[in-house]
Amino acid sequence: MNRASLHFLLAALVAAALPLFMRSGTLASEVLIFAMAAAACNLLLGYTGLLSFGQGIFFGLGSYAVGLTLLHTSLPLSLALALSTLAGAVAATGVGWLSIRRQGVYFVMLTLAFSQFFYFLAYTFKDVTGGDNGLLNIPRPAIGPFTLGNSWSYYTFVAVLFLFVFAALQRVASSTFGRTLLAVRDNEERARAIGFPVRLFKITAFAVSGAVTGLAGALHALLIGVAPLSSIEYHMSESILIMTIIGGTGNLFASVLGAGFYVIVSDLLSSIWPRWLLLLGGLLVVVALFMQKGLWGLLERLVEALRSGRKSPVEAPVRPESEGRGI
Amino acid sequence: MLNRRDLLKSSALTAGSLLLPAGLRPAFAAGEDITIGAPLPMSGPFAANGKFGSMGTAMIVEEVGRILDRKLGYIEIDTEGKPATAVRKVQEAMERGVTLFSGGILSSEALAMGKEVAKGNGVFITTAGADEITGSECNKGTFRWSVPTFGAIEQTVRPLIEQLPDAKRWYTITPQYVFGDGLLNAAKAIFKEKGIEHVGNSYHSLTEKEFSGYLTNAMAAKPDALLILNFGSQSSDTLRQAVSFGMKQRMTILLAWASGLEQFETLGPDLMEGVYFGAQYWHGIDSPFNRELVAKVQAKHKMNPNYAFASAYLTTKLLIDAAAKAGSTDGPAVAKAMEGMKYAGLTGDEEIRAADHQVIKNYYLLKGKAKSAMKDKDDYADIISFGKSFQSPEEALCKMA
C-alpha cells in the first residue's frame, strides 16, 4: 500500500470511528469540517510554503454564501454548496493574486490585511450579513431523499463530503502540479529558472485551498444554522493555522489529526478549566519547540520506536514530506 | 447538584470521558434529574460575567433542590463568547435531553442560541442586549429579561433632560452596529421631542479601543452633555479617556448602558463621581425580592450580587417556577406557563409579556458617588430614578413564529 492510500484509509477510519467514540454528532461533524479547512490550509503551508492568514476569509464567505443562497433563493442544497465552494475559490484567487506579489513577512502582512478588510466588509454590510448578530435562520434542507435534520445524519453527509474532498486534495498533492508546488516551496528561484509558471501555480494553490475552505465554511454554517461574524474574522484564520501546525504540515492526514485534536481537546479543556486557552498556548509552545513535525511526527516516532524496539531517534530537521515522489 | 464542570473534571481526569463510547460514559444528567442548561462565556473576554452568571444559576438550583419530585441540577456550558461554539454546545445539551436554558450574555450568541433552542422545542431565557431578541427575531422559545435599547434611553436620557433643563446641547458616541443604532435612534427621538440640539455623533467600530479622537470632536462641539452609547470595556475606556480630558468638569456625562457593580469596581469612585449611568440592575434596589437576594448572597458568598449574578439567579428561577407551574419540563408547556407570568422580581413587580416574551421591568438611572460619601465598598452610586418604558410588540417588529 502506498503512502497516499494509507493516509486515505486512515482518514476513512477516523470518519468511521468518530461516531463510535463521540457522544455528539455535532462535535464529530465539527471535527471533519475543520479537518477539511486544515487540510486546505496545509496545501498552502505545507506544500507551497505560504503562511496565509486569509483562510478565515474563505471560511466566512463560504458560510455567508450558503446562508444567503438558501435564505433568498430556492436553489437546492447541492447548488448552494457549489456556490460556496466557488465563492471561496474566487476570493482566494483574488487574495492570492495580490498577496503573492510579496514574499515572506510582507506576504503574511498582506493576507492579514485582507483578513481585516473582509471582516470589516462583513461587519459594515449588516443588511446582507447580519453584521455582529450574524446571518440567522440558515436552514438545513434535505439533499435529494436524505434529510439532514438529525445530527448523525448530518455527520454522515459531512463525512462523505470530507472523504471526497480529502481524496481530491490528495490527488492534487500527488499530481505533477502538487509536486511542482513542493519544488516552489523548496526553491522558488530554481523552479522559476526551470521554467515553471510559479505565480500561476501559487494562485492555483490558493484557489484550490479557498474552494475547500469555502465548502468547510458552508458546512459549518449548515451545522449551526447561523453564519456568525466570528467565522470571517482573523481568529478563524488563526484557529485553522493552529490546527494545521499542531497536526503537522508533512501530509494531509496530519491536518485531520490536528483538527481533531484541537476541536476535541478545546471542548474538553473548556469544560474543565475556564483558562483553558493558557494550556492551548502552552501546547503550541511545546509543538513549536519540540514537535516541529506536529502530532504526525510524534506518531511516526512512536511507530518507529515500536518497530525498532529501541528509543525513538532524535528528530530530524523539519522537512515536510511529500505525498508524491518529488521532482 | 449537577455541575458539568465538576463532573467532567473528575471524569476527564480518570477516564478521558469525552472519548469513551457512549455506553461507557457517565451521564451528565442522571435519569430522573431535571437539568437546566447555563450557556455562558466561561472563558474568553467575557469570562468574568460568565463566572458570576454561573454562580447565580448554581445558587437558585441549590436553593430549590427539587421540583416535580425530581432532583434539580444544572450544566454549565462554556460558550467561549462565540456564537458557533455556543450553538454547537447547546445542540449537544439538547441531544442529551436538556430543554431549559438560562444564559447568553452576548447578543450574537444569544440570538443564535435562541433560534436553536426554539427549533428543538426548548425554552431559552437571556439577558443579552440586542433588541431583535424580542423584536424582529422573536420566537416561541426565547425570552428576555433585560430592557431593550428603547427603554434604556427612555429611562436615562428623558429623566436627565428633565433634571438638567439647561443642558440643551448633547453629543453622542455610538458603536456602529444594530445595538448602537437602537440606542442612538431612541435618543434622537427624545432630542427631537424635547427640542434638544444634537450637536454631533461619533461612530466607532466594535473593536475600537482608542477614543481620544472622538472625544476631541465631542469637545470641539461644546456640548452640555455627553451621551456614551457603547458598553462593556469600550464604555469604561471612553469614560476613562473623557475624564482624563477634563470633560467631567465641562459637561454632564451619561453612560446609558452600564453593567453595574462589575463595571463600577473597575472604574472606581474617582472616575464615577458625578457621572450618570443607566443600569438594568443595582444591588441597592429597594424591592423585597432584591433585599432577600442581597442578604442571601452576602451570607453565602460575602459579596453583593452584581448584574450577571442576580439576573442569572432570577432567569433560572423563572424557568424553574414555570416548569413547576406547567408540571413538566416540556419546552412548549414551560413557555406557555411563562407567557403572562407576573411575579415579585428583582426590580419590583415584573411581568413576562406574552406577545413577544419580553419581561416588563424597571430600568435605572444611577449617579456616581464621591468616595467620601460611600457607605461601604460597593456603594458606588445612588438611584436617581427608574421606570418601565417599552415599545409595543408591533413597534418592536415582533411577529411571533
Side-chain angles (χ1 to χ4, degrees), chain A residues 23 26 123 151 270-271 276, chain B residues 5 8 18 25 43 91 95:
Chain A
R23 64 169 182 270
T26 312
Y123 174 70
S151 70
S270 75
S271 304
W276 63 277
Chain B
R5 176 155 285 158
L8 264 179
L18 197 73
R25 279 192 304 274
S43 58
Q91 283 178 350
E95 282 174 12

Side-chain angles (χ1 to χ4, degrees), chain B residues 124-192:
Chain B
F124 173 63
I125 184 163
T126 183
T127 57
D131 287 356
E132 295 90 329
I133 293 169
T134 49
S136 58
E137 298 293 339
C138 69
N139 61 62
K140 61 183 180 178
T142 303
F143 293 77
R144 192 251 290 271
W145 184 70
S146 48
V147 174
T149 56
F150 173 83
I153 292 299
E154 281 288 324
Q155 291 300 326
T156 52
V157 173
R158 191 180 288 281
L160 200 53
I161 288 173
E162 283 161 12
Q163 285 204 6
L164 307 169
D166 293 335
K168 293 290 186 193
R169 294 164 57 81
W170 285 57
Y171 193 94
T172 49
I173 293 180
T174 313
Q176 192 166 27
Y177 75 121
V178 183
F179 169 80
D181 278 330
L183 290 170
L184 181 63
N185 291 337
K188 280 179 175 173
I190 297 176
F191 293 158
K192 193 175 173 188

Side-chain angles (χ1 to χ4, degrees), chain A residues 20-27 30 116 119-120 123 126 130 132-134 136-138 140 150-152 220 222-226 228-231 239 262-277, chain B residues 4-6 8-9 12 16-22 25 28 42-44 47-48 78 80 82-85 87-89 91-92 95-96 107-108 111-112 115-116 119 130 132 137 175-178 181 204-207:
Chain A
L20 301 175
F21 292 96
M22 300 189 73
R23 64 169 182 270
S24 160
T26 312
L27 188 64
E30 193 161 82
Q116 288 296 91
Y119 169 78
F120 278 103
Y123 174 70
K126 56 180 183 276
D132 185 57
N133 289 340
L136 301 166
N137 302 318
I138 298 176
R140 198 193 293 167
N150 175 282
S151 70
W152 286 114
H220 195 250
L222 290 171
L223 173 73
I224 60 175
V226 56
L229 188 62
S230 56
S231 283
S239 299
Y262 182 91
V263 172
I264 294 170
V265 169
S266 299
D267 189 69
L268 181 61
L269 290 180
S270 75
S271 304
I272 295 172
W273 191 39
R275 303 285 175 267
W276 63 277
L277 286 166
Chain B
R4 182 176 185 246
R5 176 155 285 158
D6 292 342
L8 264 179
K9 237 182 242 175
S17 73
L18 197 73
L19 292 174
L20 286 176
R25 279 192 304 274
F28 288 106
M42 302 306 296
S43 58
D78 181 12
E80 300 169 26
K82 299 174 188 167
T85 307
V87 170
R88 200 247 299 153
K89 289 187 176 179
Q91 283 178 350
E92 289 171 19
E95 282 174 12
R96 295 200 300 277
S107 295
S108 52
L111 273 163
K115 295 282 180 186
E116 196 59 37
K119 206 159 64 182
E132 295 90 329
E137 298 293 339
Q176 192 166 27
Y177 75 121
V178 183
D181 278 330
H204 65 77
S205 83
L206 259 186
T207 52

Side-chain angles (χ1 to χ4, degrees), chain B residues 337-356:
Chain B
M338 287 176 80
E339 289 173 353
M341 186 189 273
K342 293 179 182 174
Y343 58 94
L346 290 167
T347 69
D349 290 335
E350 298 178 3
E351 178 183 357
I352 303 174
R353 193 160 64 182
D356 59 354

Side-chain angles (χ1 to χ4, degrees), chain B residues 209-223:
Chain B
K209 292 186 189 304
E210 170 54 50
F211 298 92
S212 56
Y214 309 120
L215 294 169
T216 309
N217 287 343
M219 282 194 294
K222 297 190 186 320

